[in-house]
Each structure stands twice: as structure tokens, then as C-alpha cells.
């Protein structure tokens, strides 16, 4: 392009607009000297030394000054490229040697520069990321993740960040209500637990408490009957065994009173099996009726049946103790007047019990 002639003040103005930073350190008086000695004329190294008033800057400047001349011609050609070339030399921040991402600003020094680094960066030109995780795990109490120019803390599963550094257990029970469905929720470190009442187990998929079928665990020695939240064991009484105190095993039945078979063969009849005739037939010959007390143990799953009958052959007075719909029922007939009464809990659950 055409040569542009600029006088010193105009050149300074021109530069101030294009290279503002150049003048932060390099004062205007020195700029004036530089214009006179080395831009308008060809300066010697001695003259350059007088401009800069220090060796490091002079040592930096002069070989590059000669390079500008080599490249763009002598000062007397007034080439704009030469002007730009020389004007940039005193400023070691032009072109900016600092790493763009990591630097706050470049500071021009005597033949040198200083890059002021942003937090998280280091190195002469702020080009190196600081691995904050190397020092005390970056202050994170669980995971530290280094990133270019920064870092961040992170947590294991079941934890959440608090104040960007500390991981705290998530209380899943309050954070997400209903997480356990109908079960009871219990918070744990790093996790949580869904709890059911004894005899029930938690069904993860349906979020419900399901009855445990204890009978599958073979806890009972003989018969097992599962029930909601529980189970019961039963033993074969006809086989001569009853349920033990541990409620699982069976033990031999030892009669508390031996049958006095020998006393009266007529009054006691013990059948082997009940088939229409009574198991036990008792006959009493009392001149005066006082009272009758009977107590016996039994167990049954049947909802209906006669437990006890007492009465004469011909007269119409009798008493029956029976089960109806699983409950005890007492029927009385005395001198032609009948009474029926029933009450109590369901007792046809197969457990041994005493009725008197
Ligand atoms: Ca400088
Ligand atoms: Ca980093
Ligand atoms: Ca938790
Ligand atoms: Ca059960």
C-alpha cells in the first residue's frame, strides 16, 4: 500500500488506539525518545539503551529492532509495517504470550512479561491446570473430579452434595415419601430399608408386605398351617403325640391319669375308633343328682360335631356340648324344656385346648 507518513505525536495517537497496553508501563516520555531515536531514525544499541534506561529491555529490544529493519526496510522508508513492528517491541505483552483461558491479564515488564493467572491455573503463561484434587482431595469428603481450570466434588450413590464440598446421606424416607409403599421406611447411611411386621416380608416390585409362608421352611415336625403374619404346627394326636412347648416339634402324650380299666369293666368302654358308638361311655347310678364336672383336652379342624353328651336312655333330660360353625354350643333339655346357648371364639383351629 501507499506509504503513510506519521509524525511522532500522530504515531503515538495511532498506537494508543491500537495497542493501549503498550503504554501502561512504557511511559510517554520514553515513547517520545523511541520515536525520535529509533523510529524516525536508525538508532544504535547505545541510543536504544538511553531510551529504555535498562539493560534487559535493551537486550530484548535491539536484536528484534534490527529484525524489523531487515524485514520491512530502514526507518527512512516510513513503512507502516515497520512502525507497527517497532512499536510492538517494548511491550512484551504484544502479541499476548499468555494462555488465553487461564490468564486474567498480561503485565509488560523489562524485556519480559508476567501472566496473572486465574484461579485454577498456573505456569509462566498460565497454561497449566492446577489439579486441586491433589491437595487434601480438594476439600471434598468423598469424590474429587479435576477439571481444566477448576474442579468439583462429587458423591457416592445415596449421598448428596451440601455446600459444594461435603457429601451427606440422603434421607430417602423423607426425600421421596412412599418409597416403601405400605412398608415402614428406615433411613440408612448411603441407602434405606423397607421393613415389614414380623411374619411378613417386603415385596420390592409391588411395594407391599407379603405374608411369609413359614411352612416352606419346614419348621413344623408334622402338619404346618400357614396364616397371615404367622403359622401353626399340629401334631397327630391319634398317633399319640401332641405339640411341644416350642410350638414346632411334637412330643409323646403322657396321660396324667391312668385309665382305671380294672375298677369296673362295665362302666368304662374305651373304643379304638369312633364309628357310631361313643369313644367313652360313662354310666352313673346316683340316687340323688348333685352335679357333673367334666374336663377334657381336644383338638379339631372340624367346624361341627358333638364333644360331649350326657343323658338318660328313656327320660327326656340331657345335655350336649357340641361345636357349631367352629364355636361351642350347649344344648339342654330338662323336663321337656329346651335351651340352646352358644358363644366364645372359633376353636376349630387344630390346636390342643381344654374344655370343662
Ligand atoms: Ca517491556
Ligand atoms: Ca483443575
Ligand atoms: Ca440414606
Ligand atoms: Ca405366614
Amino acid at each position: 500500500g501507499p506509504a503513510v507518513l506519521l509524525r511522532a505525536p500522530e504515531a503515538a495517537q495511532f498506537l494508543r488506539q491500537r495497542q493501549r497496553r503498550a503504554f501502561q508501563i512504557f511511559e510517554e516520555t520514553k515513547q517520545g525518545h523511541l520515536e525520535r531515536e529509533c523510529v524516525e531514525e536508525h538508532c544504535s544499541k547505545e541510543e536504544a539503551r538511553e531510551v529504555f534506561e535498562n539493560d534487559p529491555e535493551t537486550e530484548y529490544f535491539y536484536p528484534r529492532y534490527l529484525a524489523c529493519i531487515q524485514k520491512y526496510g530502514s526507518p527512512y522508508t516510513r513503512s507502516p509495517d515497520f512502525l507497527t513492528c517497532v512499536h510492538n517491541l517494548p511491550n512484551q505483552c504484544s502479541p499476548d504470550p499468555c494462555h488465553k483461558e487461564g490468564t486474567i491479564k498480561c503485565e509488560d515488564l523489562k524485556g519480559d512479561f508476567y501472566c496473572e493467572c486465574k484461579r485454577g491455573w498456573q505456569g509462566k503463561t498460565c497454561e497449566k491446570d492446577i489439579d486441586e484434587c491433589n491437595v487434601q482431595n480438594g476439600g471434598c469428603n468423598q469424590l474429587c473430579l479435576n477439571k481444566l481450570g477448576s474442579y468439583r466434588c462429587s458423591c457416592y450413590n445415596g449421598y448428596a452434595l451440601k455446600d459444594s464440598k461435603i457429601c451427606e446421606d440422603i434421607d430417602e424416607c423423607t426425600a421421596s415419601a412412599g418409597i416403601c409403599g405400605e412398608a415402614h421406611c428406615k433411613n440408612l447411611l448411603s441407602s434405606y430399608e423397607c421393613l415389614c411386621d414380623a411374619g411378613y416380608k417386603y415385596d420390592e416390585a409391588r411395594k407391599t408386605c407379603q405374608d411369609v409362608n413359614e411352612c416352606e421352611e419346614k419348621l413344623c415336625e408334622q402338619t404346618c398351617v400357614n396364616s397371615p403374619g404367622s403359622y401353626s404346627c399340629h401334631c397327630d394326636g391319634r398317633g399319640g403325640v401332641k405339640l411341644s412347648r416350642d410350638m414346632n416339634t411334637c412330643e409323646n402324650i403322657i396321660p396324667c391319669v391312668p385309665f382305671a380299666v380294672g375298677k369296673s369293666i362295665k362302666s368304662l368302654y374305651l373304643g379304638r375308633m369312633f364309628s357310631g358308638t361313643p369313644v367313652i361311655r360313662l354310666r352313673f347310678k346316683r340316687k340323688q343328682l348333685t352335679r357333673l364336672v367334666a374336663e377334657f383336652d381336644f383338638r379339631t379342624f372340624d367346624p361341627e360335631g358333638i364333644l360331649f353328651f350326657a343323658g338318660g336312655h328313656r327320660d327326656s333330660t340331657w345335655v350336649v356340648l357340641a361345636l357349631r360353625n367352629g364355636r361351642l354350643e350347649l344344648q339342654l333339655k330338662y323336663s321337656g324344656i329346651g335351651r340352646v346357648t352358644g358363644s366364645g371364639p372359633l376353636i376349630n383351629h387344630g390346636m390342643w385346648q381344654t374344655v370343662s
Side-chain angles (χ1 to χ4, degrees), residues 27 31 48 108 124 127 135 145 172 174 195 235 257 308 315:
E27 303 110 57
Q31 179 65 26
D108 178 39
K124 168 78 175 164
E127 78 287 5
V135 181
L145 305 176
E172 292 84 354
T174 40
L195 300 171
C235 300
V257 179
F308 177 83
D315 68 31

Side-chain angles (χ1 to χ4, degrees), residues 273-322:
M273 293 275 279
F274 183 72
S275 54
T277 48
V279 177
I280 300 170
R281 187 193 299 258
L282 300 166
R283 299 184 73 183
F284 304 96
K285 284 187 176 175
R286 290 265 184 191
K287 289 241 167 71
Q288 204 181 345
L289 283 172
T290 53
R291 66 187 189 123
L292 173 69
V293 177
E295 184 175 282
F296 45 90
D297 293 337
F298 79 98
R299 59 166 208 154
T300 184
F301 289 108
D302 289 336
E304 198 145 332
I306 292 172
L307 296 173
F308 177 83
F309 170 84
H313 263 305
R314 273 158 289 179
D315 68 31
S316 55
T317 300
W318 46 261
V319 56
V320 167
L321 182 63

Side-chain angles (χ1 to χ4, degrees), residues 299-305 323 325-327 347-350:
R299 59 166 208 154
T300 184
F301 289 108
D302 289 336
E304 198 145 332
L323 270 184
N325 298 327
R327 289 189 164 83
I347 56 171
N348 62 326
H349 43 53

Side-chain angles (χ1 to χ4, degrees), residues 105-117:
K105 68 169 199 270
C106 177
E107 199 178 303
D108 178 39
L109 301 175
K110 290 168 181 171
D112 203 357
F113 60 86
Y114 170 70
C115 300
E116 189 184 335
C117 299

Side-chain angles (χ1 to χ4, degrees), residues 11 30 61 81 138 178 188 192 198 206 225 254 265 271 309 312 321:
K30 283 184 186 168
F61 172 83
D81 288 339
L188 299 173
Y192 67 99
R206 282 180 280 183
V225 176
I254 300 160
I265 193 78
F309 170 84
L321 182 63

Side-chain angles (χ1 to χ4, degrees), residues 158-159 169-177 179 185 187-188 190-192:
Y159 290 84
D169 170 60
I170 299 168
D171 184 349
E172 292 84 354
C173 300
T174 40
S176 31
I179 195 168
C185 182
N187 184 41
L188 299 173
S190 88
S191 66
Y192 67 99

Side-chain angles (χ1 to χ4, degrees), residues 155-166:
C155 301
Y156 300 121
N157 279 345
Y159 290 84
L161 263 185
K162 190 199 170 209
D163 303 337
S164 79
K165 294 207 170 194
I166 305 302

